[in-house]
Amino acid sequence: MSRSAHPAGPRHADVLPEGHYTAPPTDLNALDGKVWSRTVTRNTDGVVTVGGIDVTRLAEEFGTPAYFLDETDFRARCRAWAEAFGKDADVFYAGKAFLSRAVVRWLKEEGLNLDVCSGGELATALDAGMPAERIAFHGNNKSEAEIERAVRAGVGRIVLDSFQEIVRVAHIAQGLGKRQRVQIRVTVGVEAHTHEFIATAHEDQKFGIALAGGQAAEAVRRALKLDGLELIGIHSHIGSQIFDMAGFEVSARRVVQLLAQVRDEHGVELPEIDLGGGLGIAYTPEDDPREPHEIAKALGEIVTRECEAAGLRTPRISVEPGRAIVGPTAFTLYEVGTVKPLEGLRTYVSVDGGMSDNIRTALYDAEYSVALVSRTSEAAPMLSRVVGKHCESGDIVVRDAFLPADLAPGDLIAVPATGAYCRSMASNYNHALRPPVVAVRDGEARVIVRRETEEDLLRLDVG
Ligand code: LLP
C-alpha cells in the first residue's frame, strides 16, 4: 500500500520521512469530488457545506467528533446500484458497513435488499420494517437462537457457512415446520488483492466451504437431502476494497463450474448465485473505483459467458455492496486540539476523536485524506499526521496528509469517505463516547444515531 515519496512543499526538507504521502496537492482548499460526497462544496465564505449546511453550524449544533451522512448521496448510490443490476438481479446492502433504522428505511424505499450478519443487525432490520423476505442472513458461527429468530421471521435466505450449520439450520427449520431458503458460501481459492484481514476467498481463513477437494460439492449433496432446506444457490465473497475485476471473474467462473457439476450429479440447476460485495471506493484521490454499471455489466457478461459454455441457464445474480454504497456518503468532522511540529519529521495534529471512531487506519493501514473545512487557507502545505486523543501511539486517523501550515486549535478538519466501517467498528476505548451519525439532506440535519453519553457508559457498568 505504501507510495513513493515526492519532493515536498516549501516548508520541508528535500527528502521527506518515510510514509504513504504523495506530493502536496496544488490547492489545499480544493475538495476532490472522488472522495467527498455529492452535495459537499465550499460556500463563498470558504466554509465547507453538506446538503446546504455549513460545517461550523453543524459542529455547533451536534458537536465534534461526528459523522455527517449525505442522505441524498446515499439514496443516489442505492438507485445507481439497483438500476445497474436491473430487474433480473438483486442488490443486498451489506449492513455491517453501517446500519441504523433510518438506513433500513432508505434501503426499503430505494428498493434494495439487506444482508445482515448478526442477531443485532437482524433485529435492527426487522424493527425498522425491512420485509423479512428481503433479508439475507450471514455469519460463520450463527447461534441457534439467531438461526431460530431468522427462520421464524421468514428471512429470504440464510447463507450456510459450514457443514455443522447445514444440519443446524435444517433441524431448526424442520422443527418449526418450515423449509428455509439457503445458499452455500464457498471459498473459490482466489487471492484478492487487498489487506489480509479483509480477503476472504483464499482457503486458509475461517469463511465458507472450499471448492477445492470437493468440499463444496459435498455440502451441496448434504443440503439437497435435507427436508428443512431449499437450496437456492451458491455464494462467494472474495474480500473487500477490491478494484480489479479479475478476482470476480475467477470467482464467477468457479461458482458456475460448481453449478454445472451439481446439474450433472443431481439433475438440478440451482437458480441463483451471489458474488458478494467488496467493491473498492476512493479514500484518496489516487484510488480509482469502478461505477455500479461497469460492475454490473462485467459480472453479467462473465456469468452469461460461463453459463453458455457450461450449457446452463443463466442464474439470477445477486451482489452485496456495503462500502461502495455508504462509504463515500459520510465524513467525520473533528476539531483540532493541538498542533505539534516535530522538526525534520512532520506535524502531529491531534483531534477530539481517533481510533475509537476510525479504527481502520490502525487495523488495516488504511489511507484517508483530510481537509481544513471551517475556512480556507493560503498557507504552505505542511506534512501532517492526524492523530486522536487515545492512549496509544498507533492512534492515527490519517497517516500522511498535507494541511495548511497555519492550522490552529479550534479549526475544524474533516476526513471524507468514513461512511463504511467507522461508526460500525467504533469502540469505547478509554471510555470514549461514540460519536453521533447525523443525516443531512436539503438543508436539514437530523441525528439518526445519537452521541453516547457518560450515562450510557455508566448504565452498563453495574458493579
Ligand atoms: N458480503 C459479505 C459476505 C461480506 O462478508 C462482506 C464484508 C460484504 C458483503 C460487504 O463488503 P463491502 O462491499 O463492504 O466491502 N471491516 C473491514 C471490512 C470487512 C468486510 C467484511 N465483510 C474494513 O473496514 O475494511
Side-chain angles (χ1 to χ4, degrees):
M1 278 192 177
S2 65
R3 301 196 180 120
S4 58
H6 292 265
R11 275 173 50 95
H12 295 285
D14 286 348
V15 181
L16 289 169
E18 273 190 34
H20 296 256
Y21 46 79
T22 55
T26 42
D27 179 4
L28 280 179
N29 299 314
L31 300 169
D32 194 308
K34 259 187 174 179
V35 294
W36 294 91
S37 67
R38 80 189 60 199
T39 76
V40 170
T41 182
R42 256 184 218 277
N43 68 18
T44 47
D45 297 330
V47 180
V48 169
T49 68
V50 56
I53 312 182
D54 68 60
V55 293
T56 47
R57 216 186 98 198
L58 291 172
E60 256 164 49
E61 189 170 344
F62 302 102
T64 55
Y67 308 98
F68 292 96
L69 197 162
D70 186 339
E71 182 182 339
T72 307
D73 196 29
F74 185 96
R75 288 180 181 271
R77 285 175 191 279
C78 289
R79 283 198 291 276
W81 277 88
E83 278 163 27
F85 279 84
K87 289 191 314 298
D88 300 326
D90 298 300
V91 180
F92 286 75
Y93 168 77
K96 66 207 83 183
F98 173 63
L99 196 66
S100 75
R101 289 189 179 106
V103 163
V104 174
R105 286 194 297 270
W106 301 339
L107 295 168
K108 197 172 134 191
E109 286 163 17
E110 302 299 345
L112 263 62
N113 307 288
L114 177 59
D115 143 11
V116 299
C117 69
S118 70
E121 289 184 1
L122 178 61
T124 305
L126 294 172
D127 184 81
M130 180 57 86
E133 64 275 12
R134 282 167 62 182
I135 299 175
F137 189 28
H138 271 280
N140 67 302
N141 188 18
K142 308 167 190 77
S143 71
E144 293 198 355
E146 286 173 325
I147 295 169
E148 183 173 334
R149 178 145 193 221
V151 174
R152 273 188 198 279
V155 298
R157 63 173 75 151
I158 295 181
V159 183
L160 303 173
D161 197 274
S162 65
F163 284 103
Q164 285 93 346
E165 202 171 75
I166 295 173
V167 180
R168 223 170 261 160
V169 173
H171 182 74
I172 290 171
Q174 214 175 359
L176 294 170
K178 293 201 173 202
R179 195 148 181 258
Q180 177 61 48
R181 287 159 61 86
V182 294
Q183 292 186 339
I184 292 174
R185 176 163 174 178
V186 301
T187 42
V188 293
V190 174
E191 295 282 344
H193 296 285
T194 188
H195 193 280
E196 180 197 344
F197 293 176
I198 52 177
T200 55
H202 53 301
E203 267 125 30
D204 190 3
Q205 45 82 34
K206 70 175 184 168
F207 291 109
I209 300 177
L211 280 176
Q215 297 275 302
E218 176 59 20
V220 170
R221 221 166 274 140
R222 294 191 195 176
L224 285 173
K225 280 203 196 106
L226 294 166
D227 289 339
L229 305 181
E230 178 189 350
L231 180 62
I232 58 166
I234 302 297
H235 183 287
S236 162
H237 170 76
I238 59 173
S240 277
Q241 187 58 1
I242 297 167
F243 293 109
D244 183 358
M245 293 303 286
F248 288 97
E249 176 145 10
V250 178
S251 164
R253 188 176 316 129
R254 296 191 181 158
V255 167
V256 171
Q257 281 164 3
L258 177 62
L259 293 188
Q261 192 185 338
V262 171
R263 184 234 7 235
D264 295 344
E265 187 180 335
H266 306 280
V268 177
E269 287 198 30
L270 297 177
E272 294 186 19
I273 67 174
D274 190 311
L275 294 172
L279 285 315
I281 62 163
Y283 284 103
T284 72
E286 284 83 40
D287 293 327
D288 200 11
R290 306 269 76 76
E291 292 296 323
H293 68 269
E294 297 174 86
I295 295 159
K297 186 164 176 279
L299 295 182
E301 282 172 4
I302 298 164
V303 174
T304 308
R305 192 180 61 227
E306 295 299 326
C307 287
E308 270 169 16
L312 286 165
R313 274 192 301 276
T314 306
R316 191 174 176 86
I317 301 176
S318 51
V319 286
E320 297 170 337
R323 181 189 330 259
I325 292 179
V326 73
T329 68
F331 61 80
T332 314
L333 188 63
Y334 299 104
E335 185 178 307
V336 173
T338 65
V339 178
K340 193 185 284 185
L342 298 190
E343 196 52 44
L345 288 170
R346 68 191 89 241
T347 297
Y348 278 77
V349 174
S350 294
V351 294
D352 47 358
M355 63 195 300
S356 55
D357 58 70
N358 188 349
I359 190 65
R360 298 194 67 261
T361 307
L363 191 56
Y364 314 116
D365 209 12
E367 289 180 37
Y368 284 91
S369 46
V370 58
L372 170 61
V373 289
S374 47
R375 61 182 174 93
T376 51
S377 166
E378 300 311 317
M382 162 176 86
L383 180 61
S384 310
R385 179 161 287 172
V386 178
V387 296
K389 59 182 292 177
H390 297 287
C391 291
E392 95 166 54
S393 45
D395 175 25
I396 297 170
V397 181
V398 186
R399 191 174 301 281
D400 296 297
F402 288 93
L403 283 164
D406 63 352
L407 193 76
D411 279 332
L412 297 177
I413 63 175
V415 175
T418 58
Y421 304 108
C422 286
R423 180 57 180 80
S424 68
M425 295 176 80
S427 78
N428 292 120
Y429 182 43
N430 298 147
H431 281 200
L433 304 170
R434 288 177 296 174
V437 182
V438 180
V440 186
R441 182 186 180 186
D442 299 335
E444 276 177 36
R446 77 189 164 97
V447 175
I448 59 171
V449 177
R450 73 159 167 80
R451 187 184 299 283
E452 259 173 344
T453 61
E454 286 174 4
E455 294 74 67
D456 290 328
L457 285 184
L458 291 169
R459 207 172 295 142
L460 296 177
D461 184 337
V462 294

